[in-house]
Amino acid sequence: MALLLYELTESFRIAFAQIRANKMRSVLTALGVIIGIVAVTLMGTAINGIDIGFERSLAMLGDDVLHVQKWPWFGAEDWWNYVNRPQVLPADAERLNRVIENTPNSLLETAVPVCARGASVKFGENQVGGVFVQGTTSDYARLMTADFEDGRLFNETESIAGRQVCVLGKDVADALFPTSSPIDQTVTIQGQPFQVIGVLAKQGSFLGLFSFDTQAIMPLNAFRKYFGVRRNTELQVKVKDKLQLAAANDELIGAMRRVRAQLPGERDNFTINQQQAFKAQLDPVKSGIALAGLFITGLSLFVGAIGIMNITFVSVKERTKEIGTRKALGARRRTILLQFLIEAVSICLIGGAVGLTLTYATCLALQHAMPALPVEFSVGLVFVSMAVSVLTGIVSGFAPAWGASRLDPVVALRYE
Amino acid sequence: MTPPPAPAATAARPIRPAGSLVIEIEDVSKLYKMGSEIIHALRGVSLEIRRNEYLAIMGPSGSGKSTLMNMLGCLDTPTSGRYDFNGKNVAHMSDDELAGIRNREIGFVFQTFNLLPRSDALRNVELPLIYAGMAPHARHERAMQALANVGLADRVHHRPNELSGGQRQRVAIARALVNNPSIILADEPTGNLDSKTGTEIMELFEQLYEQGQTIIVVTHEEDIARHARRVVRLRDGLIESDGAVF
């Protein structure tokens, strides 16, 4: 056991002396491994980042909310099936809530109607276009994920009366009121005056596409009065336990069919959307990145491995006489095998470490340059890439090391 | 009365009584295939070497001298015949068993020194001890002692290219001695040295012999062979003569 330990330490000494003596050669050899490790770790980081960013975004949408809508979010292939469906209307929400109340042990908490459109919001000289204006009821407070920076949501009275009050997203508030407080000020939305009663805290954007900070929320009755009653509404239904989302989804389908008075055997004339749909959209992207990454990684590691095999063959050839001497002094086959194997593994490990450092630096730079980008460097990557490096070293170094260990000492000693 | 400090190659040299049998070779032959040709490097050689002998093996090139040396050094195994080393038959040992014998029982001294160029003298001398599985501290001490014994106590951290030829061969001799081997096997030990340095190395061998070492020198130079107490001459794969030096 001790012998093996001494052999190992000796092998590492030899390996590092060898690498130091042949710096340029070692660097060039390690290049393939470096590229491979950079590819594998960057890919890991990207997938990680997508996952994290996605979770964050989903949390913004509210991961315990089901959306009853006319159209599915993704994949509405048989267009005719959907286009003839009845609109989802605020009245559906009231009926649905009645069904929920009459269901014992319902998994659903409440349904809130939400209408939305784009509009511009003005205050004095300042104007913000493309604001996502939503009309909803005071029950919206029960499924909101955003916090208030200032002020409050409209109450039930204001909601029923359709009072012209609104809550602004952070970016809208900042753009219209760069210096003063927006609370109790009156802004103009599509030509109509609304009193600001609240400002939401900063939330960031959904998947980096849609910003939750450029929104405005107003009572549904006010929204319908100025922006039309025939607009598509969606019902946002909060579930009691997000771990039972699937069961809640089934209950909601049944409840909606009762609301719509659909006959058995009839197709649902509504769609229940949930964030899982986004996940399903994302999976092909993720596996695409993984596939491309694996391909690049595999290719560069393959090239790297061949380079290392080649250089180890050269190293064995160069040091044939040394191998003979070592054998004459009592080195066993295992000793020689280990020596060259460890040399190959060391080059790979150094390549792996350099690759990791490059990836880490890239991540830091990206985080610095684009804070919104969810780039996360994980410890697991370090282990994965080190394992990959060691494996590459063993695979590529084995053949030459094996050859070295089987050299006939007489022949090796005579080699010039 | 102490013997006079005898210069090498005079009749007045002390001859130490030979001890127990170290090497016993009986009817050993070795065949090589070179393409379609079969070469009989050794054609039935028998030889006994005892502890504390000082033996020279001589012969022109092609005489089988190198083959015999490789055989004696357990670097090679005979095609047929018996080879006992310290009573153990090594003729059919595996590579790793032979490596163990080489490590513990044989100290090699090469014509080209064969030191590891990037390691200092100390590391070079420690090498056999590493392969013997000795702990770092102990082998460090042993190697220092071995270098001191060949007069290189002040050169332990020099690399081979910082040493003269004679010093390099001394490092090699220290390396050969460090594991207390049964025999020292020197292959043309002065072949790459000038005559003065060569003489110094042969004096060192003389000292080692007087301290009780068993030494086998393979050479083609009569001058070098004359330092030994017994000369074995080979020709065409056979022992031509075997006798004491006068």
Side-chain angles (χ1 to χ4, degrees):
Chain A
M1 213 48 226
L3 176 59
L4 184 64
L5 180 73
Y6 301 146
E7 280 178 358
L8 280 174
T9 46
E10 174 70 7
S11 295
F12 272 109
R13 277 186 60 114
I14 299 167
F16 283 101
Q18 194 62 23
I19 290 167
R20 224 175 313 133
N22 300 303
K23 283 189 202 74
M24 197 59 184
R25 187 166 96 180
S26 307
V27 167
L28 290 176
T29 309
L31 210 57
V33 180
I34 292 174
I35 294 170
I37 293 300
V38 167
V40 74
T41 49
L42 271 185
M43 173 194 72
T45 307
I47 291 178
N48 241 348
I50 287 174
D51 271 342
I52 290 168
F54 193 69
E55 291 303 328
R56 273 188 215 155
S57 297
L58 282 190
M60 275 182 222
L61 276 185
D63 51 7
D64 53 355
V65 176
L66 299 169
H67 303 253
V68 180
Q69 286 172 302
K70 180 173 172 180
W71 294 89
W73 282 343
F74 301 106
E77 273 140 17
D78 43 346
W79 190 77
W80 285 106
N81 172 30
Y82 296 102
V83 76
N84 289 326
R85 286 174 164 186
Q87 299 271 27
V88 176
L89 294 169
D92 289 333
E94 284 161 35
R95 285 188 218 118
L96 183 57
N97 276 329
R98 239 173 282 138
V99 173
I100 292 170
E101 273 163 38
N102 293 331
T103 308
N105 299 325
S106 173
L107 294 169
L108 307 172
E109 196 177 312
T110 186
V112 180
V114 181
C115 286
R117 64 161 291 174
S120 57
V121 182
K122 263 198 278 193
F123 178 74
E125 296 292 298
N126 297 334
Q127 174 170 353
V128 182
V131 176
F132 185 67
V133 177
Q134 302 180 80
T136 184
T137 66
S138 54
D139 283 342
Y140 189 66
R142 293 166 73 178
L143 43 80
M144 257 178 104
T145 53
D147 295 323
F148 277 90
E149 188 182 84
D150 205 354
R152 60 179 176 87
L153 192 69
F154 39 84
N155 57 33
E156 207 178 335
T157 324
E158 290 164 325
S159 174
I160 292 167
R163 286 272 306 277
Q164 283 172 251
V165 293
C166 70
V167 173
L168 296 181
K170 178 71 177 151
D171 287 354
V172 182
D174 283 351
L176 296 180
F177 303 94
T179 50
S180 58
S181 165
I183 301 293
D184 290 337
Q185 301 288 339
T186 301
V187 296
T188 314
I189 301 176
Q190 292 297 104
Q192 295 298 324
F194 285 84
Q195 188 193 1
V196 179
I197 57 169
V199 175
L200 297 173
K202 184 123 185 127
Q203 292 183 81
S205 63
F206 180 74
L207 298 178
L209 304 170
F210 169 80
S211 173
F212 277 94
D213 296 317
T214 55
Q215 65 168 328
I217 308 171
M218 61 176 64
L220 181 64
N221 288 342
F223 183 95
R224 283 161 66 83
K225 188 164 12 166
Y226 297 113
F227 303 132
V229 292
R230 294 295 300 168
R231 274 188 184 278
N232 248 334
T233 308
E234 69 165 354
L235 306 187
Q236 296 192 359
V237 184
K238 187 176 167 67
V239 304
K240 281 181 178 148
D241 180 3
K242 63 178 165 190
L243 298 176
Q244 289 179 282
L245 206 64
N249 191 62
D250 291 343
E251 187 193 325
L252 182 56
I253 291 172
M256 267 310 288
R257 288 181 69 92
R258 281 175 65 189
V259 167
R260 290 279 169 89
Q262 291 198 277
L263 296 171
E266 211 177 327
R267 286 178 75 174
D268 295 345
N269 57 9
F270 55 90
T271 301
I272 295 171
N273 288 314
Q274 49 175 304
Q275 303 110 6
Q276 292 307 317
F278 280 104
K279 226 164 210 166
Q281 289 296 300
L282 204 63
D283 280 344
V285 177
K286 263 162 55 182
S287 52
I289 293 177
L291 213 66
L294 274 181
F295 182 71
I296 297 170
T297 306
L299 207 64
S300 47
L301 282 181
F302 182 69
V303 172
I306 287 180
I308 283 164
M309 192 183 288
N310 185 34
I311 219 68
T312 313
F313 270 122
V314 170
S315 191
V316 167
K317 202 82 187 157
E318 275 178 353
R319 288 191 284 160
T320 302
K321 191 159 186 168
E322 181 192 315
I323 295 167
T325 306
R326 287 177 184 275
K327 286 202 155 192
L329 298 180
R332 293 190 285 168
R333 283 180 174 177
R334 184 185 72 186
T335 318
I336 302 294
L337 182 79
L338 271 180
Q339 178 187 331
F340 285 97
L341 212 49
I342 284 176
E343 195 173 312
V345 168
S346 299
I347 291 180
C348 286
L349 270 177
I350 290 172
V354 172
L356 265 182
T357 314
L358 283 178
T359 306
Y360 186 63
T362 310
C363 284
L364 283 187
L366 273 179
Q367 274 170 348
H368 193 71
M370 286 176 278
L373 218 63
V375 189
E376 209 82 6
F377 191 80
S378 77
V379 186
L381 282 179
V382 178
F383 289 107
V384 167
S385 48
M386 284 300 146
V388 168
S389 306
V390 170
L391 205 69
T392 310
I394 290 175
V395 166
S396 55
F398 192 81
W402 179 254
S405 77
R406 313 285 294 190
L407 275 178
D408 181 348
V410 175
V411 176
L413 273 171
R414 218 186 290 135
Y415 187 85
E416 287 299 332
Chain B
M1 196 186 128
T2 52
T10 63
R13 295 172 308 161
I15 298 180
R16 293 178 57 93
S20 56
L21 216 53
V22 180
I23 285 173
E24 194 179 2
I25 282 179
E26 202 181 289
D27 198 24
V28 154
S29 62
K30 182 74 185 179
L31 304 179
Y32 288 114
K33 259 191 194 148
M34 293 271 269
S36 58
E37 230 181 317
I38 292 174
I39 293 172
H40 291 259
L42 294 176
R43 305 161 183 268
V45 170
S46 297
L47 187 63
E48 284 184 359
I49 301 173
R50 293 179 173 276
R51 206 166 287 282
N52 209 355
E53 276 200 275
Y54 189 171
L55 182 91
I57 297 175
M58 293 201 69
S61 63
S63 62
K65 169 179 71 164
S66 298
T67 307
L68 181 60
M69 185 202 66
N70 290 337
M71 205 83 72
L72 292 175
C74 292
L75 291 164
D76 208 348
T77 49
T79 311
S80 68
R82 193 165 60 84
Y83 178 11
D84 285 358
F85 195 104
N86 276 339
K88 261 187 286 181
N89 185 5
V90 297
H92 304 296
M93 278 190 175
S94 72
D95 276 14
D96 282 353
E97 285 170 319
L98 288 174
I101 297 275
R102 292 196 293 268
N103 181 245
R104 291 185 305 272
E105 307 286 359
I106 300 167
F108 286 93
V109 178
F110 301 97
Q111 178 177 3
T112 51
F113 321 133
N114 290 25
L115 299 175
L116 304 185
R118 273 189 286 279
S119 303
D120 63 15
L122 187 64
R123 290 291 304 175
N124 267 292
V125 176
E126 272 186 59
L127 202 56
L129 302 177
I130 292 173
Y131 295 146
M134 192 182 280
H137 189 72
R139 70 183 184 230
H140 186 84
E141 234 159 57
R142 275 274 278 282
M144 288 295 264
Q145 189 56 49
L147 280 165
N149 287 348
V150 297
L152 289 176
D154 56 340
R155 292 284 188 277
V156 290
H157 293 301
H158 287 59
R159 289 184 179 190
N161 60 6
E162 297 160 343
L163 297 169
S164 70
Q167 287 171 333
R168 285 184 215 183
Q169 197 57 299
R170 279 166 191 272
V171 173
I173 291 170
R175 182 177 68 182
L177 289 169
V178 76
N179 240 351
N180 292 327
S182 295
I183 60 167
I184 297 287
L185 190 58
D187 178 20
E188 305 274 9
T190 60
N192 273 22
L193 301 172
D194 61 59
S195 59
K196 182 172 168 290
T197 325
T199 309
E200 280 170 27
I201 292 297
M202 291 322 287
E203 275 166 15
L204 180 57
F205 277 129
E206 187 69 32
Q207 283 170 27
L208 294 173
Y209 169 64
E210 281 166 25
Q211 286 161 16
Q213 277 291 342
T214 312
I215 299 168
I216 303 170
V217 176
V218 178
T219 183
H220 65 276
E221 286 180 73
E222 292 288 348
D223 286 352
I224 299 301
R226 221 169 287 138
H227 288 78
R229 301 300 188 269
R230 174 184 166 197
V231 173
V232 173
R233 284 172 204 277
L234 286 171
R235 184 174 291 275
D236 298 329
L238 287 167
I239 291 182
E240 188 184 50
S241 69
D242 180 357
V245 181
F246 300 106

